Amino acid sequence: RKESSAASDVYKRQDPHRAECEKMESLGLLKIFWVDSASCEGIAHFLYYIFQPMIDQKTKSRVRLKSLHLEEDSKNSATYQPS
């Protein structure tokens, strides 16, 4: 599998510059992950639902992800735990 040299970025689905971002993605300049909320909490939620199926598949359902903790920097973090 060929690795892309494009930078990966997270953008909110309602980004006012979405068309320009999609243009850069189509040129191979960016790899965009579109999320409903680009806050630390929103990205933790997004990542939880990306990783849980991967863990489930790799462990044949023996392991479940209880929560996901994301640290943006030393001043901002969020933990997502489904109810």
Side-chain angles (χ1 to χ4, degrees):
R1 176 176 108 171
K2 184 179 177 185
E3 292 295 321
S4 170
S5 61
S8 295
D9 287 309
V10 176
Y11 289 93
K12 186 175 179 181
R13 290 188 203 287
Q14 296 80 20
D15 190 293
H17 302 288
R18 183 172 179 146
E20 292 92 342
C21 294
E22 288 174 335
K23 175 71 174 170
M24 288 191 291
E25 185 174 37
S26 72
L27 295 171
L29 301 173
L30 289 176
K31 169 61 181 139
I32 298 174
F33 295 95
W34 296 102
V35 296
D36 292 325
S37 172
S39 65
C40 200
E41 294 81 2
I43 294 170
H45 178 270
F46 171 79
L47 290 174
Y48 179 91
Y49 289 102
I50 293 294
F51 290 130
Q52 178 51 51
M54 294 167 68
I55 292 168
D56 195 45
Q57 180 185 26
K58 293 285 184 186
T59 65
K60 297 181 172 68
S61 301
R62 289 178 288 130
V63 175
R64 297 277 310 155
L65 187 59
K66 182 178 177 181
S67 64
L68 188 134
H69 181 76
L70 176 67
E71 293 189 16
E72 182 177 355
D73 56 34
S74 63
K75 296 179 183 178
N76 192 20
S77 67
T79 301
Y80 176 75
Q81 182 174 357
S83 359

